[in-house]
Amino acid sequence: MDSLFTRFKGSEAFDVDMLDGLLCSVIQGVAETVLGIYKPEEARKKEDESAQRLATQLDMQSGIQLVRRAQRTSTTGLNMVSATSTATPMAECIDHYSTIFDTRDQIPNFQAIRPDHEPNSPSHSLNTPLSSILPHIPPCPHLMKLLCLDLVYLIPLLQTKSSFNLVECPAPPLVGVMGLLLSCYATCLKQPFPNICQLYRACLLSGQTPARWNEALVYPLCKYRNKPYTATNSGPISLKCLFRKLFESLILPVVSPSGHMAYSGIQTSFRSGYSTLTNVLTLHHLIEAYTARHIMFLDVASAFDSVSWPYLQQELKEQGMNPVVLQLVYQLMYRDMSYSLIVNGCKSQKQRPTCELLQGSPLSPLLFNGFINSLLQSLNWNSQPTFPSSLFFADDRVLIAPTITNAQSLLNQASSWADLHGMAFNIPKCGYMVTNQPLHTYLPHMLTLNNHPIPHVTSYQYLRVMFQPKGLDFPEQANLLC
């Protein structure tokens, strides 16, 4: 606490960091109390029957829990290996992710276009306290509601993190790390605990978030189990402070409708009622109906991890995002970010990214949809409602065209947008497929992306489902599942 007081005294972030420090002190006391009364030898007296119980349930939630249990089991004891004999797995991971998360060399005048250095900035910047600019911004009812935040409003959010009543729970119902964590939740809510609401109100009024919230632990998870688990065959999952994630959940209703962010209907990810099955069946139907003659499967290199703030800020401003919300997005996602890699149980030194939407952050899906929304509108501005020119599920993209001319035009639009937004395509992983036509009537590599020919394919795995020129490849999909 003395260190925090000395470091942040007199700064705009002083209040939020001090409140966060006080909150951590309370949590530490609660954790010590819970650990002091926890008796692991008495917590579980019979074998775990959860898997058998979940297997008998037919609801979606039980199925998801079974899949997650299987994923955890499949990765237990799986260690990353080096791709070469000259470097350790940790060194290869640091090098791999530093090239992905640091895009300063790819963005012209990077320092000049960051929010803190805009030459023609308005009278308030992204570091101006919100309390001084609230009268000058568009009204935001939900934001005003959050300024009157009370603990009663937070309990339902905490409740969604568990499957039992945290407030009425008399004793730790679970074992292991999750049992201890939920026991800490319950203990916190049973005593006077105003610090968290005070902290959130301070964040809203000052436009600042605690520095500790922008520290992450990044776990590189294995992508493909049939390939060696190396740095290049991994995807990053970020673990952030729980109270930061709760704050993000609170402002989600503000981010979603801010401005005129009417997301395109062809983006089916992160939307209620849609899934990968939506795109798979739509594409199969279009192929069967002989309307999707030319299909281009596009692979974007590290799409989530390559979103830089200057480009995201430009898109969100053009969509009319509320300035308060824009400031909070910058504070949570890009201000003095740092991460440490966890590889084979070891922790790296802190790394400093210049881009990346954190995978695992509640805000990231909405922000990513907003980031690519202009591309979706460009690709489909002249398409018929019953015949989309593209289908998107997050960063999995497929372009659909009736003629070769239309196909190249769509690719040119995608290429131009990527160049203007600091994104890059992984050409070797893209694929061009001609459907319902004799293959010899079309020469391979007739279409280009960034002046590079797209590989001509007769089968392609889209959203983990195999496609061939006549639609879904059921025999190959069955082999894949086996």
Side-chain angles (χ1 to χ4, degrees):
M1 295 302 299
D2 292 339
S3 174
L4 275 174
F5 184 85
T6 304
R7 179 182 176 188
F8 295 102
K9 184 177 181 181
S11 69
E12 291 182 355
F14 175 73
D15 286 343
V16 294
D17 282 289
M18 282 296 295
L19 290 171
D20 184 60
L22 291 171
L23 184 60
C24 289
S25 299
V26 174
I27 296 299
Q28 182 178 355
V30 169
E32 291 173 354
T33 302
V34 172
L35 286 172
I37 62 175
Y38 183 67
K39 298 179 180 180
E41 70 279 3
E42 298 181 4
R44 176 176 288 168
K45 297 183 179 179
K46 60 180 182 179
E47 294 184 3
D48 182 17
E49 299 178 353
S50 299
Q52 298 179 4
R53 176 179 56 80
L54 291 172
T56 62
Q57 306 297 319
L58 300 179
D59 59 292
M60 183 179 296
Q61 184 177 3
S62 298
I64 293 174
Q65 291 183 27
L66 274 176
V67 170
R68 288 178 176 174
R69 290 170 69 95
Q71 289 175 336
R72 287 195 296 267
T73 303
S74 65
T75 56
T76 301
L78 186 63
N79 287 332
M80 181 177 289
V81 297
S82 300
T84 64
S85 58
T86 58
T88 64
M90 177 66 80
E92 291 183 353
C93 258
I94 292 175
D95 181 66
H96 175 66
Y97 285 106
S98 64
T99 58
I100 295 175
F101 296 156
D102 191 342
T103 59
R104 282 174 291 189
D105 295 337
Q106 305 171 24
I107 303 176
N109 304 320
F110 179 80
Q111 292 294 335
I113 58 179
R114 288 187 64 181
D116 295 340
H117 301 83
E118 287 188 349
N120 299 318
S121 60
S123 57
H124 57 270
S125 69
L126 291 183
N127 288 325
T128 304
L130 298 191
S131 54
S132 65
I133 66 173
L134 281 174
H136 309 289
I137 62 174
C140 185
H142 186 80
L143 186 63
M144 299 305 172
K145 180 180 179 181
L146 291 181
L147 292 176
C148 303
L149 188 64
D150 188 80
L151 185 61
V152 176
Y153 191 77
L154 290 179
I155 290 179
L157 282 176
L158 288 170
Q159 201 73 33
T160 59
K161 304 295 181 182
S162 64
S163 57
F164 62 96
N165 193 313
L166 288 168
V167 179
E168 299 177 0
C169 178
L174 300 176
V175 296
V177 176
M178 184 57 69
L180 290 173
L181 180 61
L182 294 178
S183 299
C184 289
Y185 285 170
T187 306
C188 287
L189 294 177
K190 289 177 183 177
Q191 63 179 355
F193 197 55
N195 308 69
I196 188 171
C197 298
Q198 188 178 357
L199 170 61
Y200 289 170
R201 283 195 293 268
C203 291
L204 293 170
L205 288 172
S206 68
Q208 302 286 325
T209 55
R212 188 178 65 88
W213 285 10
N214 286 4
E215 300 173 358
L217 294 178
V218 175
Y219 285 79
L221 302 184
C222 183
K223 280 187 176 180
Y224 305 105
R225 294 298 304 274
N226 58 342
K227 298 180 180 179
Y229 180 21
T230 60
T232 55
N233 183 30
S234 67
I237 292 295
S238 303
L239 297 186
K240 307 290 290 184
C241 170
L242 173 65
F243 295 113
R244 170 206 162 105
K245 297 184 72 172
L246 283 175
F247 183 74
E248 289 187 53
S249 299
L250 285 171
I251 65 173
L252 271 177
V254 185
V255 175
S256 180
S258 184
H260 49 272
M261 297 168 65
Y263 296 135
S264 173
I266 63 170
Q267 172 61 277
T268 58
S269 65
F270 318 124
R271 296 176 61 195
S272 177
Y274 295 83
S275 68
T276 56
L277 190 60
T278 307
N279 282 20
V280 168
L281 293 180
T282 300
L283 182 58
H284 177 67
H285 170 74
L286 292 173
I287 294 174
E288 278 196 328
Y290 286 79
T291 54
R293 297 294 183 134
H294 302 272
I295 298 177
M296 293 73 68
F297 299 97
L298 303 185
D299 185 274
V300 181
S302 305
F304 249 70
D305 308 320
S306 302
V307 179
S308 298
W309 171 249
Y311 301 122
L312 177 62
Q313 181 190 27
Q314 177 184 349
E315 287 291 331
L316 297 181
K317 276 187 174 181
E318 290 179 356
Q319 294 171 17
M321 175 173 276
N322 190 295
V324 174
V325 182
L326 189 65
Q327 180 168 333
L328 290 174
V329 168
Y330 171 69
Q331 291 288 319
L332 288 167
M333 293 294 178
Y334 291 95
R335 179 183 66 91
D336 298 330
M337 297 295 297
S338 67
Y339 68 92
S340 297
L341 288 164
I342 306 296
V343 179
N344 297 341
C346 298
K347 181 180 177 181
S348 74
Q349 294 182 345
K350 288 185 179 180
Q351 311 294 315
R352 297 288 180 179
T354 61
C355 63
E356 181 200 10
L357 285 178
L358 297 170
Q359 300 203 38
S361 166
L363 286 179
S364 292
L366 276 176
L367 295 176
F368 184 78
N369 276 359
F371 176 67
I372 66 171
N373 194 54
S374 59
L375 171 61
L376 275 62
Q377 291 179 341
S378 173
L379 292 173
N380 288 274
W381 75 273
N382 199 28
S383 61
Q384 301 176 6
T386 56
F387 184 76
S389 298
S390 60
L391 295 173
F392 278 53
F393 190 90
D395 57 340
D396 290 293
R397 316 172 182 192
V398 56
L399 306 184
I400 307 164
T403 67
I404 194 75
T405 302
N406 294 135
Q408 187 60 61
S409 175
L410 291 174
L411 289 172
N412 293 341
Q413 293 180 51
S415 177
S416 175
W417 184 92
D419 291 340
L420 292 174
H421 292 77
M423 307 296 282
F425 291 101
N426 193 347
I427 303 294
K429 291 187 178 181
C430 297
Y432 165 47
M433 181 184 294
V434 181
T435 66
N436 297 306
Q437 290 285 347
L439 295 181
H440 66 272
T441 61
Y442 290 93
L443 296 175
H445 310 317
M446 290 183 65
L447 296 178
T448 60
L449 185 62
N450 288 338
N451 296 321
H452 295 283
I454 299 180
H456 188 273
V457 297
T458 56
S459 65
Y460 194 92
Q461 189 179 37
Y462 172 63
L463 296 175
R464 297 192 178 272
V465 177
M466 295 303 300
F467 276 86
Q468 44 92 9
K470 293 188 178 297
L472 285 169
D473 192 341
F474 293 103
E476 187 62 30
Q477 184 66 21
N479 294 333
L480 186 66
L481 295 176
C482 293

